Each structure stands twice: as C-alpha cells, then as structure tokens.
C-alpha cells in the first residue's frame, strides 16, 4: 500500500508493469483519486487511475494531445505525437474524417476474409518449421503487419524493413532507446515518402492512394500531414496488436479454463477481457495529455499546464468498475474497457484489432488443438527496453 | 432554424464514445452506451462529424422530413 500521502509525488512503478501477472504495487493504485507522480525521466505529472476519472479525462477537450506532443514534454514513445495523436479538434476532426470510414465495423467485416487468409498462411508457415516454434516471431509480430500492408497497399517484399522499424520505434525513451527510436522513425518516414511518390504514379485501391486523392484532388490535407498520417497508420497497429497477441497467448496457454472457451459462443467477450486485463504498455495505450486550463477530476484540482496521465491500464482494473478485476470473465456485463482509449482519439483501428485477435486466436487453436508451451510458464518474460508489454518469446509445440 | 433528428442505435453502439469527445453537449454515455442528449436539435456540424466518425455507424442524423444527413 502507498505509505506516502497522495499529495507527495511518487515514482510510478513502471518496472512492475512489465510482469505478466499484476503486481501488488500497481494493484494499490487502482480506483484511487488523481495524484502527483513522476514520469520515468523524473518529470512531474498527475496520475489518473479510477475508471470514471480516466473516462472523463479522455473526453475532456481541455486535456490536449497537441500540447503533450511538444518536444519538451515527457514522451512515452518516439511516435507518440504523430499526426492524429498530436492534434486536437478541429484539426483532428478534419484528419480523422478522412480515414474513419476505412476502419468502421462494416469495412472490417469486408476485410475479415482477408485476415483469415493471412492467419491461414501463417499457420501453414508454422507447420514447416522445426518444433519448438516461437509464436512471437512467427505469428504475433507478422500478423498485424501483413494486415495493415494489405489495407494500405504496401508491397509484401518491403515488410521485413518495417517489422524492425516498428519494434525499434517503441524503444524505451532512455538515451540509448531514444536514439534507436529516432533512427527507426527517420527510416520509416523516408520509406513512406518513396511509397507515396510511387503510388502517385501507380495508384491502387489501398488507403495511401485514397489519401493521395484527398490531397491532390480535394486539398483536404497538406503533404506533410499526408506523410505523417500514413506513417501513423503503418505503425500504430503493429506493436500494439503484436503485444496484445503475445500476452493473449501467454494467458491462454497457461489457463486451460480460458483456453477451453476459445472459439466458443463468448469468444467476443473473451477477446474483450484479454484486452482489459493485459495492457499493451505500463500505463495502458492512452497517452499523456497536457491541461490547457485548470481542471477538476475526481474532486482534485489539477493546475493548468500539468501533464496528465490517464492510466487506462489501471482504470481497467478498478474494482469499482470491474468487481474482482483480475478474473477474466467473458460474461461480464457490458462495460467498455479503456484499452482503446475513448473520445476523439479512440483507437482508429479498434475494430480491426478485434477482428485480428478473434481470427488469430481462434485460427491458431483450431489448427493446433494440441498447442502447448515448450517451456515452463515461469520462464515467460516480457521484453525489457520497449515501451510495449511484449513477450520476448513464446516457444510452443503441438 | 433548421431542425435535425439524432438517434443512436443501441444495438450497434459499443460505447467507444468518439461522439462524446466530438460533441460533448449532444451525446452522453449511459450504462456504457451513447445516446443523444436531445433527439431534436438545431443543425450542428459537430453532430454530423460525430456520425461520420462513429466506428459502428450507430448514429443516424436526419432532416426534419426524414431525409438522411449522416453518415
Ligand atoms: C490491440 C491492439 C491495439 C490497441 C490496444 C490500441 C490502442 C490504442 C489507444 C489506447 C489509442 C488512443 C491513444 C490516446 O488516446 O492517447 C489508439 C489510437 C490509435 N490507434 Fe490503436 N490500438 C491497437 C491497434 C491498432 C490498429 C490495428 C491500428 C490500425 C491502423 C491502430 C491505429 C490507431 C490510430 C491511427 C490511433 C490514433 C487515433 C486518433 O488519435 O484519432 N491501432 N490505439
């Protein structure tokens, strides 16, 4: 339990979040009122942890992503302030409307057969490998990349390049990590500029070509806006969905009761619960905001100019919102978790990610009913040096 | 004054609350699902934005005569 009074800044226990099981240090923060905290770089911020408080913070227009993307604000990842994620309304509205229709539930239903084909292709690939096979490298990481490439119209042959870039861009923001991330970001931006030049000459049905039309024929966004939006679309779904797959499989391969429910009637509920309990990063996917004015959240006054951390990972475990929060219960009553955020920045790819998780998890267990860990569960570990909660390896047999 | 009719299909809404972020005066979440604060409103571009940004296409905006406005 926190010994210090809640007005004293405390160092958020980031390291404790990089365990598969929920650490007691983090459990102590659940459902608590807003309190001052220190970011990993020592800069001050306000931690928002209670479900209703995080929800309110994420829909509050006075809590700005644009201001939080200024270079002097503690950054959680190199690409955190990119495009949509670095603007507020009305800029955000204009940009997001350009791409929103490509990610609706209806569009995702049309993409589903393609996703299932990608899953089947990866399953075939696994069969050709000597066991044990690492699911992280051969399934969790390539799956989201293949899906987004198809959607954007990125050639298959280039995928290897940005599998590396996608991971590096999420390096921890210490000195070494920040340099790696900056280099990876530069690589991916150069790649996108070349790709756009190429698609201007040879348009296809992909989303990048769609953005070029919006730019060149409708003047609905600037050239740099088009580039950064394309980079965001290419990056945003890879490490996030990849991370979620790794923790999902870790959970399912170590809990026979849950695994038995894969492919069952409550599969959608199972995916939601996995999203709720296994966050993609220490504080969850929602990024810090900066208060443009004094705001009151959960009865606490937060001064203008403060960095505000809406910790979706903690909100999802608030016992006030989810009784017995650590229990994965696919039949919980409807209560939208905050793993995709909420409000204007609510994950653009949420429905796509859900479809990928659904198809990937059911597809893999259907193909390999005997799927099991090839190491002791205690050996499973999350990668150090990445912002994402990502298993280093998941060796399996079948 | 131009009147619009706003409805949210509770069977489609998943409570992402993009609409609450875009048009906080016009939508509110109850039990994890969005609904219009008032079904009859004065024409409001932010409500059109909300309908066009809804991932579930759960928001329907119509003119007073029923003609579709968004999505
Ligand atoms: C399980 C997988 C995923 C998780 C947990 C996740 C989580 C999130 C979260 C929490 C946000 C909001 C950030 C904030 O408000 O600070 C976000 C935004 C975003 N996500 Fe995802 N994401 C996932 C997969 C994807 C996929 C597959 C795509 C596909 C392109 C994607 C694209 C985006 C984009 C473009 C944004 C920015 C939206 C905006 O600012 O308007 N995400 N994501």
């Amino acid at each position: 339990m926190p010994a210090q009074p809640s007005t004293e800044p405390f160092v958020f226990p980031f390291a404790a979040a990089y365990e598969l099981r929920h650490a007691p240090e983090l459990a102590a923060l659940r459902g608590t009122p807003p309190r001052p905290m220190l970011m990993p770089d020592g800069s001050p911020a306000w931690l928002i942890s209670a479900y209703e408080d995080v929800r309110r913070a994420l829909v509050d227009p006075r809590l700005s992503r644009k201001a939080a993307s200024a270079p002097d604000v503690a950054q959680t990842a190199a690409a955190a302030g990119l495009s949509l994620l670095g603007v507020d309304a009305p800029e955000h509205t204009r940009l997001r409307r350009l791409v929103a229709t490509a990610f609706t539930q209806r569009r995702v239903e049309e993409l589903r057969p393609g996703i299932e084909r990608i899953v089947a292709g990866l399953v075939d690939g696994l069969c050709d490998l000597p066991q044990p096979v690492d699911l992280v490298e051969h399934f969790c990481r390539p799956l989201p990349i293949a899906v987004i490439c198809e959607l954007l119209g990125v050639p298959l042959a280039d995928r290897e390049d940005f599998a590396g870039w996608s991971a590096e861009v999420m390096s921890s923001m210490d000195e070494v990590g920040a340099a790696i991330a900056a280099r990876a970001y530069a690589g991916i931006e150069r790649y996108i500029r070349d790709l756009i030049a190429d698609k201007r000459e040879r348009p296809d049905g992909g989303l990048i070509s769609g953005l070029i039309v919006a730019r060149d024929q409708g003047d609905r966004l600037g050239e740099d806006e088009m580039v950064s939006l394309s980079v965001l679309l290419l990056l945003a779904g890879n490490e996030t969905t990849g991370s979620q797959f790794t923790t999902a499989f870790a959970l399912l391969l170590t809990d026979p009761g849950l695994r038995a429910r894969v492919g069952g009637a409550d599969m959608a509920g199972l995916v939601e619960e996995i999203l709720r309990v296994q966050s993609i990063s220490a504080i969850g996917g929602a990024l810090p905001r900066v208060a443009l004015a004094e705001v009151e959240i959960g009865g606490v006054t937060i001064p203008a100019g403060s960095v505000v951390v809406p910790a979706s990972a903690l909100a999802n475990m608030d016992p006030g919102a989810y009784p017995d929060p650590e229990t994965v219960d696919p039949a919980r009553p409807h209560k939208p978790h905050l793993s995709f955020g909420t409000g204007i920045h609510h994950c653009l790819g949420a429905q796509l990610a859900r479809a990928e998780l659904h198809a990937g998890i059911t597809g893999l267990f259907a193909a390999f009913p005997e799927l099991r860990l090839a190491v002791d569960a205690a050996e499973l570990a999350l990668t150090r040096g990445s912002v994402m909660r990502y298993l280093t390896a998941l060796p399996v047999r079948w | 004054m131009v009147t619009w009719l706003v409805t949210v299909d509770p069977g489609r809404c998943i409570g992402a609350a993009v609409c609450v972020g875009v048009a906080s005066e016009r939508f509110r979440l109850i039990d994890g699902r969005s609904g219009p604060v008032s079904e009859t409103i004065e024409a409001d571009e932010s409500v059109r934005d909300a309908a066009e940004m809804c991932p579930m296409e759960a928001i329907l905006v119509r003119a007073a005569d029923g003609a579709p406005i968004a999505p």
Side-chain angles (χ1 to χ4, degrees), chain B residues 10-25:
Chain B
R12 285 197 194 179
C13 176
I14 55 169
V18 176
C19 54
V20 180
V22 173
S24 58
E25 319 275 88

Side-chain angles (χ1 to χ4, degrees), chain A residues 44 48 58 61 77 92 123 138 222 303 309 326 329 342 356 358 366 369 382:
Chain A
I48 316 295
L58 289 173
H92 177 272
V123 163
H138 297 286
V309 175
E326 281 171 46
D329 175 7
T342 187
E356 291 180 33
H358 194 287
L382 295 167

